Amino acid sequence: MRFWLPLVLMIGLAPAVHANDTEPTQVIDAQIAAFQANDLDTAFSFASPTIKRIFGTAERFGRMVQRSYPMVWRPARVRYGQFSDGGVQTVFFTDTTGSVFEARYEMLKTESSWQINGVYVRQAGVGA
């Protein structure tokens, strides 16, 4: 079944990715690395102000990702697809069982970097 699951992973700015020439993939990579290191404060530091208001704490945000989106929390493989003119970065996650998911990261450009404004995940099928 193909359907979109909203994943509210919003990213703001992290100290390591403040350069004006930061690419969306660098921001996404930094958050994934923070999840893998169980560094919820860093992962949450990427959240937009809206998402920070919704979740309130890094712990709540991390729990949501861990429980609802294990393919993002602990991916076996990450592969980047296209970045659209509309500001959407496609990312393919393979989970530990070999299932492939397509995530669409809605990116916003700020004066200093990119922010993730939303993520929508759907199962892409094997071999995507």
Side-chain angles (χ1 to χ4, degrees):
M1 177 182 349
R2 291 186 168 235
F3 55 93
W4 287 99
L5 300 172
L7 171 59
V8 190
L9 278 181
M10 306 289 183
I11 294 185
L13 304 174
V17 292
H18 273 247
N20 286 334
D21 60 349
T22 300
E23 296 293 326
T25 57
Q26 292 173 305
V27 174
I28 296 165
D29 279 342
Q31 188 182 53
I32 292 168
F35 286 142
Q36 291 176 332
N38 294 319
D39 185 350
L40 299 180
D41 289 331
T42 297
F44 194 54
S45 75
F46 291 100
S48 71
T50 300
I51 293 309
K52 286 180 179 176
R53 281 190 299 274
I54 290 170
F55 289 98
T57 68
E59 291 73 25
R60 277 203 207 139
F61 178 71
R63 254 191 324 271
M64 180 278 299
V65 175
Q66 185 177 15
R67 289 179 182 164
S68 300
Y69 303 96
M71 76 291 291
V72 175
W73 179 256
R74 292 290 187 273
R77 182 172 181 230
V78 177
R79 183 174 57 85
Y80 288 96
Q82 293 184 327
F83 182 74
S84 75
D85 290 339
V88 176
Q89 175 65 58
T90 301
V91 183
F92 295 95
F93 289 95
T94 304
D95 70 10
T96 57
T97 69
S99 295
V100 179
F101 298 84
E102 178 183 356
R104 295 191 179 199
Y105 281 72
E106 182 183 321
M107 304 299 294
L108 292 175
K109 180 69 172 156
T110 68
E111 288 184 20
S112 60
S113 188
W114 287 94
Q115 297 180 328
I116 295 176
N117 195 44
V119 180
Y120 302 91
V121 178
R122 69 178 179 142
Q123 189 159 5
V126 178

